[in-house]
Amino acid sequence: MATPEVNRQRPGGRPPTSLSRPPVRARIRLRQLFRVASVACGIQFGWALQLSLLTPYVQELGIPHQWASIIWLCGPLSGLVVQPLVGHMSDRCNSRFGRRRPFIVAGAVSIIVAVLIIGHSADIGWLCGDTDDSRPRAIVVFVFGFWILDVANNVTQGPCRALLADLTEKDHRRTRVANAYFSLFMAIGNILGYATGSYSSWFKIFPFSRTAACNVDCANLKCAFYLDVIFIALTTYLSVLSAKEVPLGSVEISTAFNEERPELSGGDAEEAFLWELFGTFRYFSGTIWIILSVIALNWIGWFPFLLFDTDWMGREIYGGKPNGGSNYAAGVRMGALGLMLNSVVLGITSVLLEKLCSKTGAGFVWGVSSILMALCFLSMLILSYVANHMGYIGHDLPPVGILIAALLIFSVLGFPLAITYSVPYALISTRIESLGLGQGLSMGVLNLAIVIPQVLVSVGSGPWDQLFGGGNSPAFAVAAVASLMSGLMAILAIPRSTPQKTRALP
């Protein structure tokens, strides 16, 4: 089958020019960018609940610790396909509501459906025949809802980032500011989400949430997701209402677009997507490949922490086990509190990020933050060892000094997390611009560097931990090494170019 015209290489070896971007228009005001970025707050509120509560909860349903990470496999697997495909489709969407907003709304609705399924999984399993001692049906319902949630997150996040890149266009400084806003709202969503997860009395405020199948911990989880539904609905509404997109099929660009890019359908469209996705790799400069490599190593570091942060607090600091007394649940709530403090630091860093990167270079800041991240993971290993040899585990709650040290580590990790949520996207977005590729597809390609490491961690972390006797320390050791490697690569290999001067921001 002949290659579609859009994918043919232009003379001189330059990549094909994408005409999927909106026509040139007046610069968008920063306060409008701020409102558009607010959708990150709603998405991250649910993500914070997912990160802090669902790994412990799935173990309470009966899934062993070594297999808990497999439940998270859908996120990276769907990210391999869903986010690049959604990015490609949104680059070409000709809806009268815009290119990105229909996907953002569809993803938000899917998130709402998914969290309601997860919150009621124990009740649904009970109605289908589960007992207190055996809950296989609840596990099936939970996994089904969990996987829908991961797919929905991937549907939503790519268009959100691409929308900000569309609105800022070629203004590199505004692109960094927009990503800093996005990171700030992620921090606010994290703070609210982790605070919600750390509160243990939601079932008293919503007494109907506690049922024969749903104990106190389950009821608190269910109530937290009720709040998530309200929150994501409000922030999505504010964001899509504030974004003024130019429909792709508008008169201003339809002529040029149709000359360069004929309509494709069915198998031709799918073939064009695959051709374009993998065809973009040939145009990447060495710097882009370095950035993608740093991202991959960075996420090998982050994913074990994001999977097992509250589980580490419950198991290795509080010495508890799922369904084995109150210590584990208390540790999970303390871990959620630590993640809330983490998000406070993340938010403060996001506000200062633009000034920090403009003085020292984004790549250098990213590298330093990754080395700090490695030191934090090493500190977690040391703290686990100290706690295990103090003699309180199994007899008492952890000493105040151990708790302060654990919370301090969680808090400091907010600085590198803010960099991870912002700098890589800005670096890729500004470098992809010159290739003429759609921002949706660009964000999808970047996501490949995130999800492939996540697949490796999801498949390997549980068995790897069991190989060394269980617990979370072996996975954190790998995370520390990967973070150190990513930091050194970012400092030594990413060019520290002088930021381009732009007009003063209003």
Side-chain angles (χ1 to χ4, degrees):
M1 184 177 295
T3 303
E5 181 67 27
V6 62
N7 294 315
R8 292 179 187 163
Q9 186 168 328
R10 290 175 180 260
R14 294 180 59 83
T17 302
S18 170
L19 295 176
S20 60
R21 296 185 63 81
V24 177
R25 57 184 179 275
R27 291 198 307 169
I28 185 172
R29 291 186 176 275
L30 290 183
R31 59 174 170 265
Q32 188 176 349
L33 275 179
F34 189 79
R35 291 195 297 269
V36 172
S38 66
V39 69
C41 189
I43 295 172
Q44 203 67 19
F45 183 93
W47 185 238
L49 294 176
Q50 186 178 358
L51 290 175
S52 60
L53 300 181
L54 293 192
T55 294
Y57 181 65
V58 76
Q59 293 178 77
E60 292 178 2
L61 287 179
I63 293 180
H65 175 267
Q66 62 266 34
W67 300 112
S69 62
I70 300 296
I71 304 299
W72 291 81
L73 191 58
C74 176
L77 284 179
S78 64
L80 282 171
V81 178
V82 173
Q83 197 163 124
L85 179 59
V86 167
H88 175 87
M89 293 172 63
S90 69
D91 282 341
R92 288 151 183 76
C93 179
N94 58 5
S95 168
R96 65 188 179 91
F97 299 108
R99 295 187 298 163
R100 318 295 182 188
R101 290 185 295 176
F103 292 92
I104 295 172
V105 172
V109 171
S110 300
I111 290 173
I112 289 173
V113 172
V115 299
L116 290 176
I117 291 174
I118 293 171
H120 291 86
S121 57
D123 297 310
I124 296 172
W126 185 269
L127 292 174
C128 295
D130 279 353
T131 64
D132 289 333
D133 299 325
S134 178
R135 293 186 279 186
R137 297 167 186 83
I139 291 173
V140 170
V141 174
F142 175 91
V143 172
F144 176 71
F146 192 94
W147 281 45
I148 292 178
L149 180 59
D150 275 334
V151 171
N153 280 331
N154 277 297
V155 168
T156 308
Q157 290 174 8
C160 289
R161 294 277 191 179
L163 177 58
L164 290 175
D166 288 342
L167 295 175
T168 55
E169 295 185 326
K170 297 183 179 181
D171 191 328
H172 294 181
R173 185 181 178 191
R174 279 177 177 267
T175 299
R176 293 197 302 270
V177 171
N179 278 283
Y181 285 162
F182 198 86
S183 183
L184 173 62
F185 274 113
M186 291 178 78
I188 295 173
N190 276 336
I191 292 170
L192 296 175
Y194 293 134
T196 301
S198 66
Y199 185 60
S200 61
S201 298
W202 288 116
F203 72 97
K204 296 180 181 178
I205 301 174
F206 303 101
F208 60 87
S209 62
R210 192 175 180 184
T211 63
C214 193
N215 61 16
V216 171
D217 293 332
C218 169
N220 284 326
L221 175 73
K222 189 189 299 183
C223 296
F225 279 135
Y226 289 157
L227 297 176
D228 181 32
V229 168
I230 298 172
F231 207 60
I232 195 168
L234 292 175
T235 55
T236 301
Y237 177 78
L238 175 62
S239 180
V240 298
L241 198 67
S242 301
K244 305 300 182 183
E245 287 191 277
V246 178
L248 190 60
S250 62
V251 176
E252 290 87 347
I253 61 176
S254 60
T255 302
F257 182 86
N258 288 330
E259 288 177 358
E260 192 78 23
R261 185 162 298 182
E263 291 293 326
L264 302 172
S265 61
D268 288 343
E270 294 176 6
E271 181 180 337
F273 161 66
L274 293 174
W275 182 279
E276 184 164 355
L277 173 61
F278 295 106
T280 57
F281 296 161
R282 78 180 72 173
Y283 304 118
F284 287 174
S285 64
T287 300
I288 291 178
W289 282 114
I290 290 170
I291 293 172
L292 293 176
S293 299
V294 174
I295 291 171
L297 288 169
N298 208 242
W299 276 97
I300 290 176
W302 274 122
F303 208 52
F305 176 76
L306 297 177
L307 279 179
F308 299 120
D309 40 25
T310 54
D311 185 70
W312 173 79
M313 188 75 81
R315 285 178 181 272
E316 301 183 35
I317 300 301
Y318 275 75
K321 294 182 180 180
N323 298 317
S326 60
N327 275 16
Y328 182 77
V332 169
R333 289 194 297 272
M334 185 59 68
L337 176 63
L339 291 174
M340 185 188 74
L341 298 176
N342 171 287
S343 300
V344 172
V345 176
L346 191 156
I348 295 172
T349 304
S350 299
V351 173
L352 304 175
L353 191 57
E354 162 61 18
K355 184 174 293 185
L356 190 63
C357 290
S358 65
K359 289 185 176 181
T360 61
F364 181 79
V365 172
W366 190 12
V368 170
S369 72
S370 295
I371 293 174
L372 177 61
M373 180 173 136
L375 294 175
C376 287
F377 293 149
L378 178 61
S379 299
M380 292 176 74
L381 296 175
I382 296 172
L383 193 61
S384 296
Y385 178 83
V386 171
N388 192 47
H389 287 79
M390 287 188 68
Y392 71 86
I393 289 181
H395 307 288
D396 202 357
L397 292 175
V400 174
I402 292 290
L403 284 181
I404 291 176
L407 293 176
L408 181 62
I409 293 171
F410 275 47
S411 302
V412 172
L413 280 168
F415 172 72
L417 192 59
I419 308 300
T420 301
Y421 283 161
S422 179
V423 168
Y425 296 92
L427 289 175
I428 286 291
S429 179
T430 54
R431 283 166 172 79
I432 286 290
E433 183 73 39
S434 61
L435 300 180
L437 302 173
Q439 287 293 346
L441 183 62
S442 303
M443 293 300 109
V445 170
L446 180 147
N447 192 58
L448 294 178
I450 297 175
V451 299
I452 292 175
Q454 288 180 358
V455 170
L456 298 176
V457 173
S458 295
V459 172
S461 60
W464 174 257
D465 287 342
Q466 286 301 114
L467 185 64
F468 291 91
N472 300 303
S473 295
F476 287 152
V478 173
V481 173
S483 303
L484 179 61
M485 292 173 61
S486 71
L488 294 175
M489 184 180 292
I491 292 174
L492 299 176
I494 296 179
R496 294 177 61 183
S497 55
T498 303
Q500 295 183 3
K501 293 183 179 181
T502 57
R503 289 180 292 172
L505 300 179

